[in-house]
Amino acid sequence: MKEIEVESIVGLLYKKLGSWFETGVKMIPNIVAAVAIFLIFFLIARVIRKVTQKLLRRVTHNRAVQNLLNTVVYLTFILIGCFVCLEILNLDKAVTSILAGAGVIGLALGFAFQEIASNFVSGALIAFKEPYKIGDIVEVDDYIGEVKRITFRTTRLITFQGLEVLIPNKYMFTEPMVNYTTTPKRRLDISVGVSYDDDLELVEKVTKKALESTPHRIKENEIEVYFEEFGGSSINLSARVWIEYPANKAYVKAKSFAIKSIKKAYDNNGISIPFPIRTLDFPKTQIEEIIEHTNHVN
């Protein structure tokens, strides 16, 4: 019985291998044609990628966009060539299975890598819309710095303290962001308090005069001085001057100059910036103890 089973198994294998060999021999022309067609599609994809690259350089100067579209066009032609080759090899069912499997795998990967996918999509939208560019000064969340590099996943900032910050593109695209570079002018606000004994008309005049020579000041915009409140020890005011904003360093220098100019102008015109006044209330018994202790020491 065992010898008969072994012989039957060997016979089945021989027939199966024989049928495979015959099928393979018959498929040789198809295989040759499929390889030739794939090579043709491969060459066409390379040529089209070069042509697309030249056209995109005329449409946009963004290298990230150019690379993305070039890659999409190139891979599209390669995939078309693969599917045509599978059709030639009579692997229609395999094509259907591959497409179905790719859909299932794509769905699973989409759930597993939602953050990565959202960052990639945000990076693509940033590359197309360009809300900021390399070299811009931007602020997002609690970070402010210069954009050094933009990828399809993160944006690299260098803060003014010299720290490198990698921010996911999802936050750069969806969170509120301030781009200081795209706004060429900025208002400088200086808050200061003067004594109740000072002449407020003189204070306003002196303050405006002191701010006239602020670096990068836009002369078309008038210097504004507004008194805001009666403080505990001073009358508080806000001085506002518009300046050009070529970089953050210019803003810091302008603010420092404005503070020094106001202080110097106030000193020259007898205007005082009072110290905060604090009133301390002590119980009567505690005051008597302090006086008694002072007399005892003396």
Side-chain angles (χ1 to χ4, degrees):
M1 292 293 292
K2 292 184 178 180
E3 292 181 358
I4 296 174
E5 290 179 359
V6 172
E7 290 178 359
S8 61
I9 292 173
V10 172
L12 289 173
L13 289 175
Y14 180 78
K15 290 181 180 180
K16 196 66 176 177
L17 291 174
S19 64
W20 285 353
F21 180 76
E22 291 178 2
T23 303
V25 171
K26 293 179 181 179
M27 289 293 294
I28 288 176
N30 291 13
I31 294 173
V32 173
V35 172
I37 289 177
F38 180 79
L39 291 176
I40 292 173
F41 269 93
F42 178 75
L43 294 175
I44 292 174
R46 293 188 63 179
V47 172
I48 290 179
R49 181 170 63 177
K50 292 180 180 180
V51 174
T52 305
Q53 187 174 5
K54 292 181 180 179
L55 293 175
L56 288 174
R57 286 177 180 174
R58 299 178 181 178
V59 176
T60 177
H61 297 288
N62 193 310
R63 291 185 178 181
V65 175
Q66 294 176 9
N67 294 334
L68 175 63
L69 294 179
N70 277 333
T71 303
V72 170
V73 171
Y74 178 76
L75 292 178
T76 299
F77 273 88
I78 294 296
L79 288 175
I80 292 173
C82 291
F83 289 136
V84 171
C85 292
L86 291 174
E87 289 284 347
I88 293 174
L89 295 173
N90 297 322
L91 296 175
D92 302 344
K93 295 182 179 179
V95 174
T96 305
S97 300
I98 290 172
L99 292 176
V104 174
I105 293 173
L107 184 62
L109 291 177
F111 282 108
F113 301 101
Q114 290 183 14
E115 289 297 323
I116 296 177
S118 61
N119 287 326
F120 181 83
V121 173
S122 298
L125 293 174
I126 289 171
F128 278 103
K129 293 189 175 183
E130 293 186 335
Y132 56 90
K133 301 177 182 178
I134 294 176
D136 287 359
I137 306 297
V138 300
E139 180 180 1
V140 59
D141 282 341
D142 296 327
Y143 301 104
I144 178 172
E146 182 180 355
V147 178
K148 288 295 185 181
R149 188 180 180 187
I150 304 172
T151 67
F152 280 107
R153 195 179 68 85
T154 61
T155 295
R156 178 172 174 257
L157 298 183
I158 297 296
T159 66
F160 297 122
Q161 292 76 29
L163 301 176
E164 180 184 32
V165 182
L166 295 176
I167 303 178
N169 286 332
K170 173 184 176 182
Y171 296 100
M172 294 295 296
F173 192 74
T174 58
E175 295 294 323
M177 182 194 67
V178 180
N179 191 334
Y180 293 101
T181 304
T182 55
T183 51
K185 65 178 183 178
R186 187 174 176 184
R187 195 181 73 184
L188 177 64
D189 294 357
I190 303 294
S191 297
V192 65
V194 297
S195 173
Y196 277 89
D197 296 331
D198 292 323
D199 183 358
L200 299 186
E201 296 293 337
L202 177 62
V203 170
E204 181 177 358
K205 181 179 178 181
V206 170
T207 304
K208 289 183 177 181
K209 185 69 176 177
L211 295 177
E212 286 182 353
S213 55
T214 303
H216 302 287
R217 185 176 78 86
I218 301 175
K219 296 182 180 180
E220 290 77 12
N221 294 76
E222 184 181 355
I223 299 173
E224 301 172 306
V225 176
Y226 297 105
F227 295 95
E228 297 181 333
E229 63 177 354
F230 294 96
S233 57
S234 63
I235 296 178
N236 300 323
L237 62 95
S238 175
R240 303 171 183 177
V241 56
W242 287 89
I243 63 171
E244 296 176 352
Y245 188 70
N248 187 71
K249 192 174 182 180
Y251 176 81
V252 175
K253 283 186 176 180
K255 187 172 185 179
S256 177
F257 179 89
I259 292 174
K260 291 189 293 184
S261 297
I262 290 175
K263 176 64 168 61
K264 185 177 180 180
Y266 282 8
D267 290 342
N268 293 338
N269 289 273
I271 300 173
S272 61
I273 303 176
F275 292 102
I277 298 174
R278 297 289 183 269
T279 302
L280 302 178
D281 292 330
F282 294 97
K284 184 177 181 180
T285 55
Q286 189 172 358
I287 296 176
E288 292 176 353
E289 290 178 359
I290 294 172
I291 295 174
E292 183 178 355
H293 178 73
T294 302
N295 294 334
H296 180 72
V297 172
N298 295 332

